[in-house]
Amino acid sequence: MDKELYLKCEIAVNEMRKDALKMALAGKNEGAHLGGGLSMIEIMAVLYIAIMKIDVKKPKMEERDRFILSKGHGVLALYAALKQVGFIRDEELNSFKANQTFLYGHPSMNLNKGIEFSSGSLGQGLSLGVGTCLALKAKKNQTARAFVLLGDGECDEGSVWEAAASAAHYQLNNLVAIIDKNNLQYDGLTEQVLNMNSLTDKFKAFGWNVKEVDGHNIEDLYDALIDYSSKPLVIIANTVKGKGISFMENKREWHHSRLTQKQYDEAMAELEYRNHD
Amino acid sequence: MMKQWQNWSIETMIEYTKRNIKTWARLGSCGTFGIAMLEIAKDNKEVVALTADLLYYSGLERFSHTYPERFYNIGIAEQNMVGIAAGMAKEGMVPFATTYATFASTRAADQVRVNMGYMQLGIKLIGLTAGLSVGILGATHMSFEDLAIMRSIPNITILSPADCTETVKMTQLAMKHDGPVYLRLTGVMNHPIVYQEDYQLEIGKAIKLKDGKDIAIIATGSMVYEAIKVAKILEEQGLEASVFDVHTIKPLDIEMIKKLYNQKLIVTVEEHSIIGGLGSAVSEVLATAKDSPPQLTIGVEQGYPHAGEYHYLLDRCGLVAEKIVKKIIKKYEEVK
């Protein structure tokens, strides 16, 4: 990975965490899905800054890569990434979860803002990805890819596996799934709520190429995502829920929670400190 | 949405000859749908077909041979099928997705809601064997809740053809319609013919098939033909009933209903539950009027009927002309 690109991602990662906190604070008593938003920051930064072909001035261009946030509650990281590339302005982040905002608690389809599909009901994004990739192939679009980000808890949904079977059946090498494997879901540890055993083995058995990476390592993510695969590709990204804020890390309670001013100040201080490392 | 191949030609080989109309009726609505698909696909490259392991049942065999690259068998995975169709629709394709009406509306309800209702993606979802036609398979395959479910989800146009001629026309209209459509197919092979020749059909505009000053019978799907039979029997008994084919359940032709306020009785007939379907839709309009006639809602009433052959079930549910006439006369005597 090019050093300059790496640095760009690294800087973005820190800014995106701060933006996530800003939005969570702006959301006031509505609260925000902080845990699962913070776990996917590096994934989103690498996708939007180093991997995906997008053009803010041409949001509907045929050649663009399509991003689908299947774990719709991960909006904090999505909106922060869209700000990095210029789809969303800084001051717009303050409208997070305000009445009438376009920055809902789950993404709402808005191509002009870089949001490909609405989501929120889990287990549906991979099917959208399969449909998108079949259409791209039908249109002889041989360069664009669809990237679908799912949660590990989300993989409880049976429809994920219906879509996984279809992707392999149709040999969709233009489809990339990324699992934000932070090992926690709303009610606790994924292996305690519903033990899905090895996602790697499952996807392999379904006929996918599988890569396991450290989901907070920019270079690993880049290496896993940059090349086209011969089959549908899934990246199992091992992550930490609430990553980057010590008092949120691996805490079930931060799946969805209200952020107080005091907590916000503490969290921002941690990120500032890291900035000066 | 982005339309890559915007080329809405409906100049097809579909000809409304007596022979074709008879052939379609013989095949029933599912087989007719397959024929219509083969025709509309010729000039409309964006049309694709998906099915959840019901290729043959959907009459899509010839389509799948003629356009193998435009036919997608998703397997027994209705939720996934609707999601895939959504992804295709957003990319400018016009996906027709088929499965039993009951699975289209209940198994895949959340996908229908999010993709067709919320995102308004132009999926054309085909509900095969709606009503009681495969009732011998038991309640799992009956579908008399689908209209209630689809109607309550915003933004979905709901079409319910009266016969196979109308099925052909509606398949064409569904393709041209820019938005999500649920096409509800009722009946079995040897479907009675309502439309013997070509006619004008417009989404949202009910068709008056017979005049009458006493009673208005508003019917949809398989029950339109039955309603015509009912009106004839009533006529023999000195009652004049008008008959309407409400082929579009949503948006409902409210103006047509408002013109019926001078009738003594309004009757709705549908091969669907009396809750949430055509009858409910009409009631919702009548309830807003200062003076509207009473309504008799005829449909499936008492839970899940015991499994049985189609015509047996229609009879058991009171959805045959003789039984409908009895109900109407009884009600008419009460309210006239």
Side-chain angles (χ1 to χ4, degrees):
Chain A
M1 187 183 191
D2 179 73
K3 175 102 184 169
E4 201 180 323
L5 195 56
Y6 178 86
L7 281 174
K8 219 175 147 189
C9 289
E10 200 182 33
I11 291 165
V13 158
N14 203 261
E15 286 178 0
M16 284 167 66
R17 286 217 157 78
K18 286 183 192 165
D19 284 340
L21 293 170
K22 273 189 218 164
M23 281 185 273
L25 187 70
K28 298 187 184 114
N29 289 339
E30 288 296 326
H33 283 103
L34 273 158
L38 292 170
S39 62
M40 54 186 261
I41 293 279
E42 283 82 1
I43 298 168
M44 296 300 283
V46 170
L47 277 175
Y48 274 82
I49 289 163
I51 299 290
M52 290 203 306
K53 198 161 35 283
I54 40 172
D55 185 342
V56 180
K57 292 194 188 76
K58 289 186 272 180
K60 296 172 185 174
M61 72 172 179
E62 182 57 27
E63 304 77 28
R64 75 188 188 284
D65 287 321
R66 278 75 163 160
F67 176 75
I68 301 165
L69 185 61
S70 191
K71 52 168 286 189
H73 55 284
V75 280
L76 291 178
L78 173 65
Y79 298 157
L82 292 173
K83 194 200 99 172
Q84 286 295 319
V85 294
F87 274 115
I88 295 176
R89 295 196 311 275
D90 190 42
E91 61 272 23
E92 288 175 325
L93 295 185
N94 289 325
S95 77
F96 179 68
K97 282 195 175 178
N99 292 330
Q100 299 296 326
T101 182
F102 68 96
L103 300 179
Y104 304 18
H106 288 113
S108 178
M109 187 165 76
N110 186 343
L111 284 182
N112 290 325
K113 293 288 182 189
I115 302 171
E116 294 278 347
F117 288 101
S118 302
S119 55
S121 175
L122 293 173
Q124 299 199 21
L126 200 55
S127 296
L128 295 173
V130 170
T132 302
C133 289
L134 284 170
L136 290 174
K137 283 189 182 286
K139 289 191 280 186
K140 313 271 183 247
N141 180 335
Q142 295 181 353
T143 54
R145 288 191 286 177
F147 295 88
V148 184
L149 181 58
L150 303 99
D152 52 352
E154 183 184 2
C155 293
D156 295 354
E157 291 279 5
S159 53
V160 169
W161 302 101
E162 291 184 2
S166 280
H169 177 81
Y170 286 105
Q171 301 169 7
L172 298 177
N173 59 339
N174 50 352
L175 179 64
V176 181
I178 304 158
I179 314 285
D180 173 17
K181 190 174 177 298
N182 60 32
N183 303 313
L184 275 171
Q185 58 197 100
Y186 214 150
D187 281 351
L189 289 167
T190 50
E191 62 174 30
Q192 282 175 7
V193 175
L194 177 65
N195 191 346
M196 294 292 285
N197 293 302
S198 168
L199 292 177
T200 301
D201 291 351
K202 277 192 177 56
F203 274 102
K204 270 188 191 156
F206 272 81
W208 288 55
N209 273 340
V210 186
K211 292 181 188 174
E212 246 188 283
V213 301
D214 172 351
H216 298 302
N217 185 310
I218 292 168
E219 216 151 2
D220 282 3
L221 283 165
Y222 179 84
D223 290 343
L225 288 162
I226 192 67
D227 290 326
Y228 280 60
S229 168
S230 54
K231 298 183 197 175
L233 169 67
V234 59
I235 314 287
I236 311 283
N238 291 304
T239 59
V240 172
K241 199 154 180 167
K243 175 73 178 179
I245 312 299
S246 59
F247 60 90
M248 293 182 191
E249 286 189 0
N250 292 315
K251 293 279 193 314
R252 187 199 74 79
E253 295 74 16
W254 283 99
H255 174 84
H256 186 273
S257 195
R258 176 177 167 258
L259 185 69
T260 64
Q261 182 68 49
K262 184 164 173 285
Q263 288 164 333
Y264 171 83
D265 293 339
E266 277 176 42
M268 284 301 254
E270 279 190 35
L271 294 175
E272 288 297 346
Y273 178 74
R274 193 150 312 141
N275 229 3
H276 298 137
D277 270 355
Chain B
M1 288 293 95
M2 285 160 293
K3 292 254 150 59
Q4 293 296 313
W5 312 284
Q6 201 145 31
N7 159 31
W8 296 127
S9 153
I10 54 162
E11 289 297 316
T12 66
M13 291 300 288
I14 294 169
E15 283 176 20
Y16 295 88
T17 60
K18 285 242 168 328
R19 192 162 161 257
N20 279 349
I21 286 171
K22 269 191 188 162
T23 306
W24 300 335
R26 211 165 35 243
L27 290 168
S29 56
C30 299
T32 300
F33 162 76
I35 288 183
M37 281 296 287
L38 191 65
E39 291 297 329
I40 65 170
K42 274 182 194 163
D43 299 322
N44 301 281
K45 302 276 178 269
E46 68 278 27
V47 169
V48 293
L50 295 85
T51 187
D53 198 30
L54 288 177
L55 157 64
Y56 301 101
Y57 217 104
S58 314
L60 288 168
E61 197 177 355
R62 278 176 68 196
F63 183 102
S64 71
H65 293 315
T66 312
Y67 305 107
E69 74 293 349
R70 289 159 68 186
F71 173 75
Y72 301 87
N73 201 331
I74 304 303
I76 310 166
E78 294 80 9
Q79 300 173 59
N80 187 34
M81 176 177 71
V82 173
I84 290 174
M88 290 174 163
K90 180 162 154 291
E91 292 295 330
M93 296 170 117
V94 179
F96 282 74
T98 75
T99 180
Y100 290 120
T102 178
F103 305 142
S105 58
T106 57
R107 171 61 69 95
D110 191 29
Q111 277 78 1
V112 167
R113 180 171 176 265
V114 174
N115 295 310
M116 295 171 69
Y118 184 24
M119 285 191 267
Q120 300 182 51
L121 294 169
I123 300 166
K124 318 302 171 187
L125 186 61
I126 314 303
L128 309 167
T129 65
L132 303 164
S133 62
V134 287
I136 192 65
L137 301 176
T140 55
H141 285 58
M142 296 174 191
S143 182
F144 46 79
E145 309 94 331
D146 55 323
L147 285 179
I149 293 164
M150 294 294 180
R151 227 164 60 75
S152 66
I153 297 173
N155 303 319
I156 301 174
T157 295
I158 304 172
L159 305 178
S160 168
D163 70 356
C164 295
T165 316
E166 200 155 77
T167 299
V168 171
K169 284 186 171 286
M170 290 206 138
T171 306
Q172 292 177 305
L173 285 176
M175 176 197 68
K176 286 200 328 177
H177 182 76
D178 190 16
V181 173
Y182 175 60
L183 178 60
R184 180 180 205 255
L185 301 180
T186 48
V188 289
M189 288 162 85
N190 297 313
H191 199 297
I193 300 171
V194 174
Y195 297 101
Q196 301 276 0
E197 55 193 34
D198 198 6
Y199 65 104
Q200 280 293 323
L201 177 66
E202 199 185 315
I203 288 177
K205 225 165 179 170
I207 297 173
K208 191 184 216 178
L209 295 169
K210 186 185 167 302
D211 280 316
K213 62 175 174 41
D214 303 315
I215 299 167
I217 307 175
I218 302 173
T220 194
S222 57
M223 289 297 114
V224 173
Y225 182 80
E226 218 56 28
I228 296 168
K229 271 166 66 181
V230 166
K232 278 182 193 154
I233 302 173
L234 288 173
E235 206 163 347
E236 288 160 13
Q237 305 193 13
L239 280 174
E240 282 189 38
S242 58
V243 176
F244 293 85
D245 167 16
V246 178
H247 48 70
T248 307
I249 302 295
K250 198 178 172 187
L252 190 67
D253 189 348
I254 292 169
E255 291 314 308
M256 178 278 286
I257 295 165
K258 283 184 177 169
K259 284 182 194 142
L260 303 176
Y261 289 171
N262 60 350
Q263 301 287 299
K264 296 192 190 81
L265 177 65
I266 289 179
V267 180
T268 58
V269 200
E270 61 200 301
E271 198 180 317
H272 184 272
S273 166
I274 55 164
I275 297 171
L278 172 66
S280 297
V282 170
S283 295
E284 287 158 20
V285 178
L286 296 181
T288 64
K290 186 157 175 270
D291 290 306
S292 65
Q295 180 187 345
L296 171 63
T297 305
I298 298 177
V300 179
E301 281 188 54
Q302 286 164 351
Y304 293 106
H306 193 279
E309 178 269 331
Y310 183 47
H311 295 97
Y312 165 85
L313 278 178
L314 287 177
D315 187 66
R316 285 298 298 262
C317 294
L319 295 175
V320 290
E322 300 72 29
K323 290 190 172 173
I324 295 170
V325 166
K326 272 190 192 157
K327 280 186 193 167
I328 292 176
I329 289 176
K330 184 165 172 270
K331 188 74 188 172
Y332 185 76
E333 291 300 323
E334 276 172 42
V335 301
K336 70 175 178 187

